[in-house]
Amino acid sequence: MAPINLNNVKQSAASTTTTIAASSQDILVRETLRISANLASSSPLLDTPPALTLPASQESTVRFICCEEIDGRRWNYVADADSAGGFKKNSFRALTLHSPQAPIDGLMSFVRSYVVPEGFPDSVTPSYVPYMTWRALKHFFGGAMGVFTTQTLLSSVGVSRNRATPGAVAINWILKDGAGRVGKMLFARQGKKFDYDLKQLRFAGDLLMELGAGVELATAAVPHLFLPLACAANVAKNVAAVTSTSTRTPIYKAFAKGENIGDVTAKGECVGNIADLLGTGLSIWIAKRNPSLVTTFSLLSCGYILSSYREVKSVVLHTLNTARFSVAVDSFIKTGRVPTLCEGNMNENIFSFPWKDRPVVLGSRVKDAFQDPSAYVAIEPLFDKEKYIVTYNPSKCKVYAVLKDQAKSDDILKAAFHAHVLLNFVNSSNESNVSSQNQGENINSNTMHRVSDLASCIADSCKIVTNTYGLFKNKANEQGWAMSESLLNPGRARLCQLDDR
């Protein structure tokens, strides 16, 4: 049997593979050109003649280079081959595999590039759309109100009716702006509160903005009080501006998926500016018809406040601040489950402002937590193994958590959890006592006044906390909550031990 020449076999296989590859490329190129020709001939938007089909001899000189895709649309890149095996000069071109984009689609694509982040909706969280919708409405009403308040200020200061000299007008206006800047600087010291109560402060800032606009409107009724009223209004509006600026980044950060916080912020501000311009244009059109100033302002204010409330309610944050922590613990005590991120944020009390009295005080001073020393002596042994002491002060109707100087982050979180459990015990005890008392009796006249009963109630709460705190943490982590003691805003007082000397 004659020997087989392996070199000939290899050359034959390589030649066959090359022929097949070349044939496949020719078929792909011809199909691409055919599709492009059909699309071009069927579309009235192109100026090219319908007969784009190339002769077979010319098709064979066209080589497929690569394929490209942009937002679901594909292009094949081809080039004309020359006799030397290279490519003809300036023959590299792209052939679309889709019908030409309609003008309305191009317009919508242009608008989307300004108002939504790149990669939308996959680049942001689901709560981004409702938030931006309400934010746009709020800016729309705010821009509309700005026209009327500015018109009122100019009328009151004397520009429109020549009641004052230009120098006096300028001085009054400068003093008004200066007072606003001073107010902005003074309020900046509240910066830490913007981190843990940003929803409440954001809504409070919008309410303050409305108050400032109302005061500006009042200058029309008492123009001789223009300077004090305008200064007060500008202070309120500048404080509101600090609140809005300080809470903007954490909110946008909650919407961003990945490292696109800058894109989300830019598009959000663009939406606000567009809505503001639309509101301004509408108010100018309305102002030419001399409507009732009070009625118009009242309607716009209602729209602004409602939009602001729905705006902050639509924000879904992953962190547990005081208000959301209270919602999570109450739900866990009553149902045994921790609410989801959406449920916790939806049930958060937006009106729980930082300066309001709250039923739970974390990191309080001893003199506030205990009304007499006997209560401290009776309760303190229950917390020998803990880094905190939790108690209830009947005279103030509050639960206090006194932190020890060794308390760490988890100890503070556990103290806050324990305080809410004890508050639930106290409320249940008060409800049962009130139901057995006469209507005219004081609601605080309950067994919690006795130290022994208070110690017994706290002892029961200690058992529950020991058995359930770990479970609460695990369920909170499963729902995606991020817990940090700094967001609960604990006080700085710590219970320390005396040195033995």
Side-chain angles (χ1 to χ4, degrees), residues 37 54 100 219 265 270 293 342 379:
L54 299 176
T219 58
T265 303
C270 183
L293 196 59
C342 292
I379 295 171

Side-chain angles (χ1 to χ4, degrees), residues 211-490:
L211 177 63
V215 173
E216 287 180 342
L217 203 69
T219 58
V222 281
H224 59 282
L225 297 178
F226 168 81
L227 186 57
L229 289 178
C231 288
N234 218 31
V235 168
K237 296 179 78 171
N238 275 272
V239 169
V242 171
T243 304
S244 177
T245 304
S246 302
T247 56
R248 182 184 306 154
T249 300
I251 290 176
Y252 283 139
K253 186 178 179 180
F255 296 131
K257 284 184 177 180
E259 302 299 326
N260 61 335
I261 178 64
D263 188 23
V264 173
T265 303
K267 300 304 169 52
E269 294 306 298
C270 183
V271 169
N273 290 331
I274 292 174
D276 190 277
L277 290 173
L278 292 175
T280 301
L282 175 66
S283 61
I284 292 174
W285 179 78
I286 295 175
K288 291 181 179 179
R289 285 152 178 77
N290 296 321
S292 171
L293 196 59
V294 176
T295 302
T296 305
F297 181 81
S298 300
L299 292 175
L300 293 175
S301 295
C302 290
Y304 183 89
I305 294 174
L306 176 63
S307 301
S308 174
Y309 177 77
R310 296 302 304 171
E311 175 194 24
V312 295
K313 288 291 286 186
S314 64
V315 179
V316 177
L317 299 175
H318 294 230
T319 54
L320 283 174
N321 67 342
T322 302
R324 292 187 291 277
F325 189 86
S326 177
V327 171
V329 176
D330 289 344
S331 175
F332 179 77
I333 294 173
K334 295 175 182 178
T335 65
R337 60 180 293 271
V338 175
T340 62
L341 295 176
C342 292
E343 292 172 346
N345 282 271
M346 186 59 62
N347 294 325
E348 179 183 3
N349 184 10
I350 301 299
F351 297 96
S352 178
F353 302 119
W355 54 84
K356 288 181 61 178
D357 284 338
R358 292 173 175 173
V360 173
V361 181
L362 185 63
S364 65
R365 299 191 63 183
V366 175
K367 67 175 184 178
D368 296 327
F370 298 94
Q371 58 184 356
D372 59 70
S374 60
Y376 177 83
V377 173
I379 295 171
E380 194 271 337
L382 299 174
F383 297 92
D384 283 340
K385 297 181 180 180
E386 303 293 348
K387 300 298 188 296
Y388 62 88
I389 299 175
V390 172
T391 186
Y392 173 70
N393 191 332
S395 63
K396 299 180 180 179
C397 299
K398 292 182 181 180
V399 173
Y400 292 88
V402 179
L403 303 175
K404 299 180 181 180
D405 56 356
Q406 308 98 334
K408 305 300 181 184
S409 175
D410 189 65
D411 298 315
I412 297 175
L413 291 171
K414 187 176 182 180
F417 178 80
H418 197 152
H420 282 85
V421 171
L422 180 59
L423 179 65
N424 185 269
F425 269 58
V426 172
N427 291 337
S428 300
S429 176
N430 286 347
E431 290 175 2
S432 62
N433 282 313
V434 168
S435 63
S436 62
Q437 292 173 352
N438 295 328
Q439 291 276 335
E441 243 181 290
N442 190 343
I443 192 173
N444 290 325
S445 297
N446 55 61
T447 55
M448 285 298 164
H449 278 109
R450 295 194 294 268
V451 174
S452 59
D453 293 323
L454 177 60
S456 176
C457 182
I458 293 177
D460 292 339
S461 70
C462 289
K463 297 177 183 177
I464 292 180
V465 171
T466 301
N467 296 327
T468 60
Y469 175 63
L471 180 61
F472 170 77
K473 283 180 59 181
N474 292 335
K475 290 191 173 184
N477 290 330
E478 290 175 0
Q479 295 292 355
W481 290 108
M483 293 191 292
S484 173
E485 85 287 352
S486 62
L487 294 174
L488 299 179
N489 188 27

